Amino acid sequence: DADVTQTPRNRITKTGKRIMLECSQTKGHDRMYWYRQDPGLGLRLIYYSFDVKDINKGEISDGYSVSRQAQAKFSLSLESAIPNQTALYFCATSEARTDTQYFGPGTRLTVL
Amino acid sequence: KQEVTQIPAALSVPEGENLVLNCSFTDSAIYNLQWFRQDPGKGLTSLLLIQSSQREQTSGRLNASLDKSSGRSTLYIAASQPGDSATYLCAVLQGAQKLVFGQGTRLTINP
């Protein structure tokens, strides 16, 4: 089983809909992250969390919110999806000891 | 603002060749630099991590170097194989666990 899982893997939705992307990990890491990847722009950090009670905005948090329900779960919500939020979304985890980040397989989101 | 650039954007070489991928960054105040591999439909896999105090790291056929003062890193792949075909991303870690990524180099190894 994969250490970092994301659901759904693909989602097509319409403008204005609320969408939740979920991430679960079995690595036992305290730190979790959400990124989006756009062609030609690389990966950009949306939100990150160092533990259950810690939530921090990243580079591009506008239009997104997150919830850290447990050490192993970190969800990303789009309150009212818009077409320029069409992208590939990645969840990642890390531990402070090594700084190495481990990525999930990604969720491809299309907003029509 | 940190900017990470990878050149070239795409590279195609015959199997067996040694090759170098380049990464440059504008702000030398980094904690580490990481190289990742991304395969279509899959997430990112960490290949090598170089701490800011280190000059290079090696793993199998891969060798990554870091020259923090000049803002450069290279990923050397020896004896390339078709299975090495993927997109390679470099990223620098700054404060507050913020990874800043380059746009990647899409590598194709031709049999």
Side-chain angles (χ1 to χ4, degrees), chain A residues 20-32:
Chain A
M20 178 179 287
L21 309 183
E22 299 186 346
C23 176
S24 295
Q25 53 114 346
T26 58
K27 299 186 76 67
H29 292 166
D30 287 328
R31 303 179 177 191
M32 298 187 73

Side-chain angles (χ1 to χ4, degrees), chain A residues 56-72:
Chain A
N56 304 281
K57 293 183 177 181
E59 181 184 356
I60 52 164
S61 59
D62 288 348
Y64 301 95
S65 62
V66 291
S67 174
R68 184 80 184 267
Q69 301 94 325
Q71 185 202 39

Side-chain angles (χ1 to χ4, degrees), chain B residues 16-37:
Chain B
E17 282 200 3
N18 303 324
L19 59 99
V20 174
L21 306 181
N22 296 295
C23 173
S24 62
F25 49 95
T26 55
D27 185 351
S28 62
I30 64 171
Y31 288 98
N32 63 46
L33 183 143
Q34 301 177 48
W35 283 93
F36 294 88
R37 169 184 172 138

Side-chain angles (χ1 to χ4, degrees), chain A residues 51-99:
Chain A
D51 63 42
V52 174
K53 297 181 180 180
D54 176 77
I55 301 290
N56 304 281
K57 293 183 177 181
E59 181 184 356
I60 52 164
S61 59
D62 288 348
Y64 301 95
S65 62
V66 291
S67 174
R68 184 80 184 267
Q69 301 94 325
Q71 185 202 39
K73 296 184 181 297
F74 192 35
S75 300
L76 177 71
S77 294
L78 287 66
E79 298 302 325
S80 179
I82 56 177
N84 76 3
Q85 291 177 314
T86 293
L88 188 56
Y89 289 84
F90 287 105
C91 173
T93 74
S94 74
E95 55 180 346
R97 183 176 61 85
T98 65
D99 285 337

